[in-house]
Amino acid sequence: MRYLPLTEADRRSMLEAIGVPSVDELFRDVPEAARLSGPIEGLSNHMGELEVDRALSAMAGKNLPAGSVPSFLGAGAYRHHIPATVDHLVQRGEFLTAYTPYQPEVSQGTLQVLFEFQTQVSLLTGMDVANASMYDGATACAEAVMMANRVTRRKKAVLSGGLHPHYRDTTTTDARFIGFETVVMPPAPTGGEDLLAEVDGDTSCVVVQNPDVFGHVRDYTELGKACQAKGALLIVVVTEAVSLGLLTPPGAMGADIVAAEGQSLGNALNFGGPYVGLFAVKEKLVRQMPGRLCGQTVDADGRRGFVLTLSTREQHIRREKATSNICTNSGLCALAFSIHLSLLGEEGFTRLAEINHAKAVQLADKLAAVTGVEIVNDSFFNEFTVKLPKPATEVVEALARRGILGGVPASRLFGGGLDDLLIVAATETNTESDMDAFATALAEVL
């Protein structure tokens, strides 16, 4: 292949130095079943740039983009309108000059926006202090559990059945390798789980989600008090940041740690990422908080400036003393989040949340009128679960063929046992005609 920089002689020399006869021998840890036995079907060995472009465009054309059809997808990733101003402002030089804010003298733009971001997250969540962002909501949840383990010096986490399975799986994967126990409650599409019954003297935390993965809105105040009485922390997960404009914030319910996904503000769906994790805690726990904390100070001349106040990471201290081995924050995504929220302002953000809820109520009424469809939720924000008279996977495939992205089957998240449940979301992007098309198509499919 002419664009490879190494000649055949170069490769032979390298293989001899390594001590293997061929490149294939370097893949000895890859199972035979995972290796290609020949060329990929449908792909030519030789294609020019124009032909490659056409082939890939044809493949992409098989997709049904959320922005091109009525879409009611949610379950942790939500389609919201992003003002064009956001994309323009994130490209300003003040924010792009600093790769990472270790040197405050050349990173004031980055540091200031992260300081403002932290303030916004603290206000939204009702918590005392927030960090300068995490990778995403799922890893923020896992980090929250590990933080609770450090704070309580216990090693057992109770995970609600209403917690998004991706967040659950990320946490249990960390548990397997780091060495702590997780009690995973079964899926709770109608609620009714007794989380406190699982809390004992070894429990470091209870992890809940609000609204939960099925869309239920709950008050965790009493659970927070009960956890406190037993020496455990309450971790509240939020996957839909817009809900914080209308619902009681986790901090007001007694949450000790909040782990959230900020994708809904300033960040498009982007095929699943990159997103931005939000992380906020009570002030007394700040020393155990992972990630970075930006602060405000003054320079030698008394002028306001911004610095990294707390950065208890492995790059700065001994590895075994680090609170986290995460080596970055989602800076650009956090910037987009902060700009979008600043453009909305408090009143605009509240209004956006009200519109989202109103749209979901309107959609729920239309779907409930379809024969055989039952709304599972008593309460919800902009997402709810419907029970269907046939498997939800079959229904969404049939809806897609009609040009409707009708939601996420619960079975795709949880596996078997919830085959007839469909998780549906509505945002400000959905029009009444979108909803009518959904209801009509659903009636036809059923």
Side-chain angles (χ1 to χ4, degrees):
M1 301 172 74
R2 65 184 183 279
Y3 47 82
L4 289 181
L6 302 176
T7 66
E8 183 61 34
D10 291 333
R11 288 193 286 274
R12 280 199 305 270
S13 176
M14 293 170 67
L15 290 171
E16 288 173 5
I18 295 170
V20 294
S22 68
V23 172
D24 291 338
E25 289 299 311
L26 299 175
F27 294 87
R28 60 189 177 191
D29 292 329
V30 179
E32 286 288 343
R35 303 186 194 184
L36 287 175
S37 58
I40 299 175
E41 185 179 351
L43 291 184
S44 170
N45 286 330
H46 301 87
M47 296 177 72
E49 182 177 340
L50 180 60
E51 288 77 17
V52 169
D53 182 66
R54 286 173 177 165
L56 294 179
S57 295
M59 292 180 188
K62 297 178 181 179
N63 292 326
L64 196 61
S68 64
V69 296
S71 174
F72 301 90
L73 301 175
Y78 303 91
R79 181 171 175 255
H80 290 282
H81 171 69
I82 301 172
T85 313
V86 174
D87 287 337
H88 174 74
L89 290 178
V90 296
Q91 299 177 65
R92 287 186 63 93
E94 300 96 312
F95 308 125
L96 297 179
T97 51
Y99 163 65
T100 194
Y102 295 136
Q103 297 175 276
E105 65 273 14
V106 294
S107 306
Q108 286 300 293
T110 297
L111 288 166
Q112 180 173 356
V113 76
L114 289 175
F115 178 81
E116 303 294 351
F117 169 84
Q118 292 167 181
T119 304
Q120 291 171 324
V121 173
S122 295
L123 290 170
L124 290 179
T125 58
M127 302 298 285
D128 298 325
V129 60
N131 72 8
S133 89
M134 307 290 277
Y135 282 133
D136 57 21
T139 49
C141 176
E143 289 283 345
V145 172
M146 290 186 281
M147 175 180 166
N149 293 344
R150 294 192 300 271
V151 170
T152 62
R153 298 185 180 181
R154 300 175 179 179
K155 288 192 172 183
K156 187 174 84 170
V158 177
L159 310 183
S160 165
L163 180 65
H164 195 294
H166 295 171
Y167 291 58
R168 176 202 66 200
D169 292 347
T170 302
T171 303
T172 55
T173 298
D174 279 355
R176 181 156 54 96
F177 290 101
I178 294 172
F180 62 90
E181 180 186 355
T182 54
V183 177
V184 179
M185 302 294 285
T190 58
E193 58 183 357
D194 185 4
L195 294 170
L196 201 58
E198 303 296 329
V199 178
D200 57 24
D202 296 323
T203 304
S204 66
C205 60
V206 175
V207 184
V208 295
Q209 180 176 318
N210 193 50
D212 71 15
V213 68
F214 298 103
H216 299 285
V217 175
R218 307 196 189 284
D219 182 358
Y220 290 110
T221 303
E222 293 305 314
L223 178 62
K225 292 177 181 177
C227 287
Q228 186 177 24
K230 295 200 173 190
L233 303 187
L234 176 64
I235 298 172
V236 177
V237 168
V238 180
T239 63
E240 170 55 290
V242 175
S243 69
L244 296 170
L246 197 59
L247 302 181
T248 301
M253 297 182 189
D256 296 288
I257 306 173
V258 176
E261 173 56 67
Q263 171 268 321
S264 291
L265 290 169
N267 292 276
L269 292 174
N270 290 331
F271 304 97
Y275 290 164
V276 52
L278 315 182
F279 199 98
V281 302
K282 289 181 176 178
E283 186 173 7
K284 66 180 181 180
L285 304 177
V286 67
R287 284 288 177 181
Q288 288 295 330
M289 181 172 64
R292 300 165 171 169
L293 187 64
C294 294
Q296 179 178 278
T297 185
V298 294
D299 65 10
D301 298 320
R303 295 174 300 186
R304 184 174 73 152
F306 300 90
V307 295
L308 274 180
T309 299
L310 186 68
S311 190
T312 51
R313 295 168 41 204
E314 62 176 24
Q315 291 179 354
H316 305 287
I317 62 176
R318 288 181 298 170
R319 187 182 190 94
E320 65 274 13
K321 296 293 184 182
T323 60
S324 171
N325 290 323
I326 284 183
C327 292
T328 190
N329 67 291
S330 299
L332 190 63
C333 300
L335 172 61
F337 175 102
S338 192
I339 291 173
H340 191 178
L341 192 54
S342 298
L343 291 169
L344 287 168
E346 184 175 351
E347 290 186 12
F349 185 56
T350 300
R351 179 62 179 148
L352 176 62
E354 290 172 344
I355 292 171
N356 270 252
H357 179 57
K359 292 281 188 179
V361 171
Q362 185 180 16
L363 178 62
D365 289 342
K366 290 180 181 291
L367 297 186
V370 177
T371 302
V373 175
E374 175 188 346
I375 308 297
V376 173
N377 303 60
D378 292 325
S379 63
F380 55 85
F381 171 62
N382 69 350
E383 188 167 30
F384 53 88
T385 300
V386 297
K387 187 174 183 179
L388 304 173
K390 62 191 325 183
T393 52
E394 296 178 12
V395 173
V396 295
E397 294 295 340
L399 289 172
R401 290 192 290 271
R402 288 168 169 77
I404 305 286
L405 294 175
V408 179
S411 60
R412 287 186 178 172
L413 297 174
F414 290 94
L418 302 174
D419 295 345
D420 58 351
L421 297 182
L422 179 65
I423 302 170
V424 177
T427 72
E428 76 280 2
T429 64
N430 294 118
T431 65
E432 186 167 4
S433 62
D434 289 342
M435 299 180 198
D436 289 338
F438 184 11
T440 300
L442 182 60
E444 293 172 358
V445 169
L446 294 180

